[in-house]
């Protein structure tokens, strides 16, 4: 059975889920951030079936998050290295980790802590406004249609209602 594709939806969340919407892809990327670069290293660390890992690595390479770099010629073997696009996924993993720490850790606390090398302190990820530096939350952030929103959808009543500034901003006040 084929799953629904979200690749062309007018939503970056849907498009990201289309690309990484299985449990293994983010975990493969996590391992890459931990320094794993070789197929056997990913397989051993994750305990993932070899065919599933081959599929996920191929997809991450195809989508430009990882690149293959040969480290052996006979037989040919590759390292899987994070690209700029792949390295840009790190804050997403930190946000997922922070949410999991808060809601899934239990009494024993988080299984992993993150240290910010720039200041030498244990740190938690925070989504902040790129202009003012203040935290962005569901209560203080409004979503609006951007320049890439399809005009044919922008005129639909339910879409206009979803992005109606007056209705959404009014809910922020109370």
């Amino acid at each position: 059975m084929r799953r629904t594709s979200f690749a062309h939806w007018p939503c970056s969340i849907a498009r990201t889920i289309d690309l990484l919407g299985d449990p293994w892809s983010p975990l493969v990327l996590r391992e890459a951030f931990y320094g794993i670069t070789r197929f056997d290293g990913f397989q051993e660390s994750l305990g993932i079936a070899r065919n599933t890992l081959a599929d996920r690595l191929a997809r991450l390479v195809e989508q430009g998050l990882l690149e293959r770099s040969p480290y052996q010629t006979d037989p040919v073997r590759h390292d899987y290295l994070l690209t700029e696009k792949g390295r840009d996924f790190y804050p997403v993993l930190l946000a997922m980790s922070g949410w999991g720490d808060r809601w899934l850790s239990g009494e024993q606390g988080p299984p992993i802590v993150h240290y910010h090398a720039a200041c030498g302190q244990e740190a938690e990820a925070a989504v902040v406004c790129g202009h003012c530096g203040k935290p962005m939350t569901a209560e203080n952030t409004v979503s609006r249609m951007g320049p890439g929103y399809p005009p044919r959808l922008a005129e639909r009543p339910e879409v206009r209602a979803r992005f109606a500034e007056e209705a959404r901003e009014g809910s922020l006040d109370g």
Side-chain angles (χ1 to χ4, degrees), residues 2 4 8 18 20 24 51 70 79 91 106 120 136 147 169:
R2 190 134 198 243
T4 300
H8 301 291
D18 191 73
L20 299 169
W24 291 115
N51 63 326
D79 280 321
M136 293 178 68
E169 288 175 352

Side-chain angles (χ1 to χ4, degrees), residues 15 56 63 163:
R15 292 174 183 171
R56 295 318 180 275
Q63 294 299 319
F163 294 110

Side-chain angles (χ1 to χ4, degrees), residues 12-95:
S12 294
I13 295 169
R15 292 174 183 171
T16 302
I17 288 173
D18 191 73
L19 175 64
L20 299 169
D22 68 90
W24 291 115
S25 294
L27 293 175
V28 168
L29 290 171
R30 180 198 68 189
E31 294 305 299
F33 282 108
Y34 285 160
I36 303 293
T37 62
R38 297 191 175 164
F39 187 96
D40 290 339
F42 287 112
Q43 201 278 323
E44 182 180 324
S45 178
L46 293 169
I48 183 175
R50 295 181 75 78
N51 63 326
T52 301
L53 177 59
D55 177 65
R56 295 318 180 275
L57 288 170
R59 176 117 172 115
L60 292 168
V61 168
E62 174 189 323
Q63 294 299 319
L65 284 92
L66 295 174
E67 63 185 5
R68 289 172 19 136
S69 175
Y71 69 87
Q72 178 179 311
T73 56
D74 190 21
V76 176
R77 296 185 191 269
H78 296 91
D79 280 321
Y80 292 88
L81 306 172
L82 288 160
T83 63
E84 179 182 5
K85 185 176 181 180
R87 288 186 303 274
D88 265 1
F89 194 71
Y90 191 67
V92 177
L93 292 177
L94 284 178

